[in-house]
């Protein structure tokens, strides 16, 4: 190892490594890297604590996020106490973490390499790779490394095999995980996996390449300058993509970061976007509201498509719409609220009893039984997504047009039914105002598409039904004594989904009823510019944080009704709740300002983008 300029020693138990990595990392102290097929969460301590391969929803191979002792991790950091700063390199999803110690400074670069199709045609790449580069910028720093692989949600502790030429290998069924590095690693006597320690001196570099293959011959990555090339190529790939963004307003930095996050969580082979790359991060520490979000929600469709297209990401928008129409065609005319990245509908919910949960928050769940619920709002989401595409210049083929009209006929038959609604409570079905509104949206958009000449729909029947829905909403979904639209017909509770009445074109955002509703939502659900989504009973023990996207919906409502100054002030304040690299989770604890729920959350970043766009061009 002398040519690297270090001295090193072998250790059986990496002392400070255990102390640092066994403690619970705050959700907001993670960053994410990905390759548009899967994603890894990297802590400020340099530990990869969550990674599922080969897909976002595959079983994890590192899960320390959900159990610090059993889950497994890939940790690299100084042995001595350190301070941390980190950033994404330019407009990319390549993460750079800088550790400063009393004796020196080291930088850790983490990337899941990506490349253009032309590059892939010229070179052979591993199916999936985690590439980590460690470089000493100043002084000397002793580094600890722990590679503790735990496939199948940590139900397996694999044997690590060493090949003196090719590196280290773990096999699990048809899966092969390979680790290549010149860093001095060994199998410790009292720990699974690999561990090691070495002193890095100024100018020294070290690379770690972990590759994953399933069912095919393994392609091993070359280190050294070839690794540098993969890092540079990945930075360039992300930055070239980001240049397509047409938003050039005051919040471009935040919008670009949100767009990059959405792109990272898009499954490239199908165009689907997962809600989050994680499962079971709690909505309340120690609580039971721990759900698997590694799937694709139809309810996100229209807002997501609008965000992508209005930023100028037409290819991603068309791919997302293509997945949306493909997945819903598989169950047509019934719509399931959740699908996997290929449109699979069978997502049974199970509990993993052997994992302790994030910060002791159990159960840990995989799969999601909300897929069995009825949410009538999904019909409006799918049809409005197609409508948003068309009014921005897109065209629909005849098969899709017939499918959309068929969905409209289903809405005509079923809109009077109770459903679970947008927030997926587990207390049974009710008559949700938002669901009624989205049924109205479904028929309204079909009527408009017919009038524009894009589809042939039973115009008179749809128009009569649309007016019947509006009559019921205005008669039973608006509480006159309360002066507000309400969550359920004939009820007196409000929830944040009522803001969507203005954003989806049902109600005038500047109209008296909508202004009163906005005020009532702020009174009952607001705290410090944040909003809870609801406060009513939902069949689960109480307790959760404020909901990220709902707070951005409020900003968009303000902007659309012309209150630009208040909207900008609120938006700027909301941006302060992002973590140090610009990421948002599903929820925010209003007291501690900490992130809650699955992370990063696509829906929150979609809300941020649409709010920024509304601020740029306020609509009255």
């Amino acid at each position: 190892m002398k040519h690297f300029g270090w001295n090193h020693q072998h250790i059986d138990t990496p002392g400070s490594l255990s102390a640092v990595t066994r403690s619970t990392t705050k959700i907001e102290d993670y960053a994410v890297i990905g390759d548009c097929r899967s994603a890894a969460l990297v802590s400020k301590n340099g530990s990869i604590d969550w990674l599922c391969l080969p897909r976002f929803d595959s079983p994890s191979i590192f899960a320390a996020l959900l159990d610090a002792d059993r889950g497994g991790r890939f940790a690299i950091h100084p042995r001595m106490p350190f301070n941390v700063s980190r950033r994404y390199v330019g407009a990319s999803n390549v993460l750079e973490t800088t550790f400063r110690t009393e004796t020196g400074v080291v930088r850790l670069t983490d990337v899941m390499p990506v490349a253009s199709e032309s590059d892939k045609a010229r070179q052979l790449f591993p199916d999936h790779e985690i590439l980590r580069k460690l470089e000493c910028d100043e002084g000397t720093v002793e580094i600890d490394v722990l590679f503790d692989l735990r496939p199948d949600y940590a139900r397996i502790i694999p044997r690590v095999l060493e090949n003196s030429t090719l590196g280290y290998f773990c096999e699990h069924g048809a899966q092969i995980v390979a680790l290549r590095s010149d860093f001095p690693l060994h199998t410790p006597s009292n720990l699974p996996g690999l561990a090691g320690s070495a002193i890095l001196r100024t100018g020294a570099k070290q690379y770690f390449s972990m590759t994953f293959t399933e069912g095919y011959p393994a392609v091993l990555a070359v280190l050294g300058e070839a690794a540098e090339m993969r890092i540079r190529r990945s930075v360039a790939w992300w930055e070239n993509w980001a240049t397509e963004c047409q938003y050039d307003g005051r919040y471009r930095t935040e919008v670009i970061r949100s767009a990059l996050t959405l792109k990272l969580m898009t499954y490239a082979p199908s165009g689907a976007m997962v809600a989050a790359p994680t499962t079971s991060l709690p909505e309340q520490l120690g609580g039971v509201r721990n759900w698997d979000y590694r799937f694709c929600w139809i309810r996100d469709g229209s807002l997501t498509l609008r965000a992508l297209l209005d930023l100028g990401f037409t290819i991603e928008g068309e791919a997302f719409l293509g997945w949306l129409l493909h997945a819903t065609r598989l169950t047509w005319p019934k719509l399931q609220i959740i699908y996997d990245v290929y449109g699979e509908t069978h997502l049974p919910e199970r509990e993993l009893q052997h994992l302790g949960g994030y910060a002791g928050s159990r159960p840990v769940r995989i799969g999601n039984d909300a897929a069995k619920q009825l949410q009538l709002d999904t019909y409006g989401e799918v049809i409005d997504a197609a409508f948003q595409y068309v009014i921005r210049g897109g065209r629909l083929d005849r098969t899709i047009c017939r499918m959309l009209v068929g969905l409209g006929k289903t809405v005509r038959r079923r809109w009077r039914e109770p459903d679970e609604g947008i927030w997926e409570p587990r207390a049974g079905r009710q008559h949700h105002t938002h669901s009624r509104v989205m049924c109205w949206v479904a028929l309204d958009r079909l009527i408009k598409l017919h009038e524009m000449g894009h589809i042939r729909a039973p115009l008179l029947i749809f128009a009569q039904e649309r007016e019947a829905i509006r009559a019921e909403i205005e008669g039973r979904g608006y509480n006159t004594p309360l002066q507000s639209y309400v969550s359920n017909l004939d009820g007196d509770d409000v929830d944040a989904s009522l803001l969507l009445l203005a954003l989806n074109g049902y109600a005038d955002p500047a109209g008296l009823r909508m202004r009163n509703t906005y005020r009532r939502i702020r009174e009952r659900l607001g705290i410090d510019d944040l909003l809870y989504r609801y406060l009513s009973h939902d069949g689960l023990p109480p307790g959760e944080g404020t909901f990220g996207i709902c707070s951005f919906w409020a900003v968009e409502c303000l902007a659309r009704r012309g209150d630009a100054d208040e909207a900008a002030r609120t938006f700027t304040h909301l941006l302060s709740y992002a973590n140090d690299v610009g990421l948002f989770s599903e929820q925010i604890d209003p007291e501690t300002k900490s992130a809650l729920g699955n992370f990063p959350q696509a829906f929150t970043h979609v809300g941020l983008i649409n709010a920024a766009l509304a601020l740029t061009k306020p609509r009255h």
Side-chain angles (χ1 to χ4, degrees):
M1 308 304 293
K2 291 182 180 179
H3 59 288
F4 281 108
W6 324 323
N7 293 321
H8 69 269
Q9 61 181 17
H10 291 303
I11 55 170
D12 286 336
T13 305
S16 63
L17 183 69
S18 288
V20 170
T21 59
R22 299 303 176 195
S23 60
T24 298
T25 299
K26 294 179 180 179
I27 294 172
E28 63 267 26
D29 285 345
Y30 283 101
V32 65
I33 59 174
D35 60 1
C36 301
R37 285 165 176 78
S38 186
L41 262 61
V42 187
S43 76
K44 278 188 174 180
N45 297 328
S47 181
I48 295 177
D49 287 351
W50 181 254
L51 175 63
C52 300
L53 288 172
R55 296 185 348 190
F56 294 105
D57 58 345
S58 298
S60 63
I61 65 171
F62 300 123
L65 178 71
L66 299 179
D67 194 313
D69 293 320
R70 302 182 190 88
R73 57 167 53 83
F74 184 6
I76 302 174
H77 63 63
R79 169 170 290 235
M80 63 193 70
F82 52 82
N83 294 318
V84 177
S85 62
R86 60 184 180 171
R87 67 179 184 117
Y88 284 110
V89 179
S92 80
N93 283 313
V94 178
L95 180 68
E96 184 181 272
T97 305
T98 300
F99 301 103
R100 299 182 181 277
T101 74
E102 289 185 354
T103 61
V105 179
V106 291
R107 273 183 300 133
L108 177 64
T109 301
D110 284 312
V111 59
M112 294 178 73
V114 290
S116 67
E117 293 305 315
S118 60
D119 286 333
K120 292 177 183 177
R122 292 193 301 267
Q123 293 178 257
L124 193 60
F125 291 91
D127 289 342
H128 303 274
E129 181 185 12
I130 295 277
L131 176 58
R132 315 192 76 181
K133 170 191 171 185
L134 192 63
E135 184 172 8
C136 186
D137 291 336
E138 181 182 322
T140 62
V141 181
E142 187 172 9
I143 298 295
D144 278 336
V145 174
L146 175 64
F147 182 78
D148 183 9
L149 191 71
R150 303 287 181 100
D152 194 22
Y153 300 111
R155 287 181 285 209
I156 294 171
I157 302 178
R159 241 178 69 187
V160 180
L161 304 176
E162 182 179 2
N163 182 298
S164 58
T165 304
L166 300 178
Y168 301 91
F169 296 85
C170 297
E171 295 186 49
H172 167 53
Q175 298 178 352
I176 297 176
V177 176
L179 178 66
R180 303 197 72 207
S181 179
D182 290 323
F183 194 91
L185 298 171
H186 70 288
T187 303
S189 59
N190 59 342
L191 290 172
L194 300 166
S197 179
I199 295 176
L200 240 63
R201 304 186 186 280
T202 302
K205 297 180 183 179
Q206 180 61 43
Y207 302 90
F208 302 81
S209 171
M210 190 205 81
T211 56
F212 174 95
T213 304
E214 183 173 35
Y216 297 97
V219 176
L220 302 182
V222 180
L223 304 178
E225 181 54 34
E228 291 283 356
M229 178 60 72
R230 294 198 297 282
I231 295 172
R232 290 195 296 268
R233 182 189 291 117
S234 297
V235 171
W237 189 92
W238 287 112
E239 290 195 322
N240 287 339
W241 180 84
T243 60
E244 299 296 319
C245 181
Q246 296 177 4
Y247 174 84
D248 197 28
R250 172 182 174 185
Y251 308 103
R252 181 172 172 83
T253 298
E254 292 82 4
V255 167
I256 289 289
R257 178 50 50 199
S258 289
L260 285 163
T261 304
L262 296 182
K263 176 67 171 177
L264 181 150
M265 291 193 287
T266 298
Y267 186 68
S270 69
M273 185 184 298
V274 296
T278 56
T279 180
S280 302
L281 290 181
E283 298 173 12
Q284 180 187 42
L285 292 182
V288 300
R289 296 169 179 266
N290 316 321
W291 312 109
D292 193 345
Y293 275 14
R294 298 171 299 157
F295 307 113
C296 314
W297 267 254
I298 296 299
R299 70 161 187 229
D300 304 354
S302 177
L303 296 175
T304 300
L305 189 71
R306 179 156 58 87
L308 292 171
L309 294 178
D310 286 353
L311 290 182
F313 295 116
T314 305
I315 293 175
E316 285 70 24
E318 290 179 343
F320 178 75
L321 180 63
W323 170 83
L324 187 67
L325 296 173
H326 164 75
T328 52
R329 188 184 296 126
L330 297 177
T331 57
W332 184 93
K334 176 184 176 183
L335 295 186
Q336 186 163 298
I337 68 171
I338 312 172
Y339 299 83
D340 78 1
V341 293
Y342 278 122
E344 172 61 46
T345 59
H346 186 61
L347 310 173
E349 185 174 296
R350 304 190 301 277
E351 295 183 5
L352 300 180
Q353 302 288 348
H354 64 287
L355 293 178
Y358 175 84
S361 302
R362 301 183 70 182
V364 173
R365 294 183 173 100
I366 56 174
N368 199 312
D369 277 348
K372 301 174 183 177
Q373 291 186 354
L374 172 65
Q375 289 184 20
L376 292 172
D377 60 293
T378 55
Y379 290 88
E381 290 287 354
V382 172
I383 295 170
D384 189 48
F387 176 76
Q388 297 297 330
Y389 176 64
V390 168
I391 64 175
R392 288 163 174 79
R395 299 192 64 82
L396 306 173
D397 65 36
R398 291 181 180 179
T399 300
I400 291 173
C401 290
R402 286 194 297 268
M403 186 188 84
L404 295 175
V405 172
L407 294 179
K409 292 178 179 178
T410 301
V411 169
R412 179 182 173 238
R413 291 195 309 270
R414 302 195 65 178
W415 69 264
R416 293 177 176 85
E417 297 179 23
D419 71 347
E420 273 84 6
I422 186 174
W423 303 128
E424 299 166 13
R426 301 204 172 188
R429 296 178 179 178
Q430 300 186 56
H431 293 278
H432 295 95
T433 300
H434 172 260
S435 296
R436 290 289 202 275
V437 168
M438 292 309 295
C439 288
W440 180 93
V441 167
L443 298 180
D444 179 73
R445 302 308 191 261
L446 289 171
I447 290 168
K448 286 181 169 64
L449 287 169
H450 177 95
E451 292 172 343
M452 294 162 62
H454 290 280
I455 66 171
R456 296 183 61 185
L459 188 63
L460 181 59
I461 293 173
F462 280 4
Q464 290 174 339
E465 214 70 35
R466 179 184 63 176
E467 294 314 305
I469 298 173
R470 177 175 282 279
E472 180 169 80
I473 294 168
E474 296 304 310
R476 300 176 60 197
Y478 187 85
N479 185 313
T480 300
L482 188 65
Q483 295 189 351
S484 177
Y485 288 105
V486 286
S487 300
N488 301 323
L489 301 186
D490 305 318
D492 55 10
D493 289 327
V494 298
D495 76 280
S497 73
L498 297 170
L499 296 171
L500 293 172
L501 274 63
L503 306 188
N504 285 324
Y506 173 84
D508 179 1
L512 182 60
R513 285 197 165 193
M514 203 60 226
R515 282 182 176 272
N516 288 340
T517 300
Y518 178 91
R519 184 172 63 251
R520 196 66 66 203
I521 289 171
R522 275 290 180 201
E523 288 173 358
R524 293 193 175 186
L525 304 178
I527 177 171
D528 195 26
D529 287 331
L530 300 169
L531 285 179
Y532 291 97
R533 53 180 172 169
Y534 55 72
L535 293 178
S536 57
H537 177 67
D538 62 2
L540 293 168
E544 64 174 15
T546 57
F547 215 70
I549 193 171
C550 299
S551 306
F552 287 116
W553 287 345
V555 170
E556 192 173 353
C557 279
L558 287 169
R560 284 176 178 245
R561 78 185 195 192
D563 292 343
D565 290 343
E566 179 64 12
R569 183 204 64 78
T570 304
F571 187 70
T572 300
H573 186 199
L574 293 177
L575 293 178
S576 70
Y577 290 100
N579 76 351
D580 59 312
V581 289
L583 301 178
F584 282 89
S585 66
E586 178 187 26
Q587 299 181 17
I588 299 164
D589 186 322
E591 295 183 4
T592 66
K593 317 304 181 188
S594 294
L596 292 170
N598 285 298
F599 176 87
Q601 177 78 356
F603 214 20
T604 309
H605 285 279
V606 166
L608 185 156
I609 291 169
N610 285 330
L613 289 166
L615 282 164
T616 303
K617 296 179 180 180
R619 284 163 281 186
H620 299 268

